[in-house]
Amino acid sequence: MRGPFDLHTHSSVSDGTEVPADLVASAAAAGLAGIALTDHDSTAGWESASAAAREHGVSLLPGMELSTRHGWQSVHLLGYLFDPADAGILAETERIRHDRITRAETMVARIGHDYELEWDDVLAQTTPDATIGRPHIADALVAKGHVQDRGEAFATILHWRAGYYEPHYAPEPLEGVRLVRAAGGVPVIAHPAVSSDRILPEDYLRRLVDAGLFGLEVHHRDNSRAGAKRLLELAAKYDLAVTGSSDYHGTGKLNRLGENTTAPEVVERLVAAASGWAPVLG
Ligand code: AMP
Ligand code: FE
Ligand code: FE
Ligand code: ZN
């Protein structure tokens, strides 16, 4: 297998700005050998992304970024090459997506007391099957002229301290790892060190390893430098794979495709560890 691979990208099926086929075309244009499509809590982009990957001759690892939570701490779990029809995965992702809608409606109602904003303004920023999140509320706030861009929205109105925030349902990371493995997939913790003091406690990480955790996304712009160093130590100690990726969201974030990548040998091991779904190999 040749590289480079970018194992964390988002399309308009969640909070990216490109439809899956355009995202794959962008990856080909960026000179990537392959990408993983990892929309939040949804596999709805797999089919069109796979067709585009065959067309462009790039590799595609269908995946997902599953929302989980440990106590107050939000933990994003990347799952690759699992069976998208698995009953456990289907039930859990449907529950999360449904609660994300209720939660977004709650936030919009609160924001609506202080700013001109309605639920229809948010719906206007999404496609019918999209996983709804704060980025879509951000886009509605931009369209209404309340903020300049998503970054400003997250720094102000959508910040959890701003008074409008509401959490949404999410399972424990341990449950997430079990679900992905039970569906034949391969779990990797996304950006585990967005702040160096926020890495999961080591005894809990050990339980994730025992349940089948495959790797840690060490090379990601949101991991702190000290945190990434600590993650490398933990990866060596627990024999976890080290991945790198962009977390591309189209024009929704500054992250550029391929700004961090994963070694082809790691991708080979990841594919070999999966039994739920086959990658498209370019
Ligand atoms: P939610 O899961 O609905 O709480 O929204 C979190 C999502 O918002 C994450 O998946 C990020 O991709 C996105 N996000 C977080 N901070 C920012 C930011 N500053 N600018 C753009 N998108 C962001
Ligand atoms: Fe996102
Ligand atoms: Fe994430
Ligand atoms: Zn992401």
Side-chain angles (χ1 to χ4, degrees), residues 15 40 76 100 103 133-135 150-151 154 165 168 249 252-253:
D15 52 356
H40 298 284
H76 286 176
R100 277 175 161 283
R103 168 265 197 155
R134 278 183 291 163
R150 284 188 184 183
F154 272 90
Y165 186 79
H168 63 76
H249 282 68
K253 273 189 168 182

Side-chain angles (χ1 to χ4, degrees), residues 8 10 14-16 38 40 65 76 135 150 247-249 253:
H8 184 167
H10 294 265
S14 60
D15 52 356
T38 54
H40 298 284
E65 186 173 17
H76 286 176
R150 284 188 184 183
D247 206 354
Y248 178 71
H249 282 68
K253 273 189 168 182

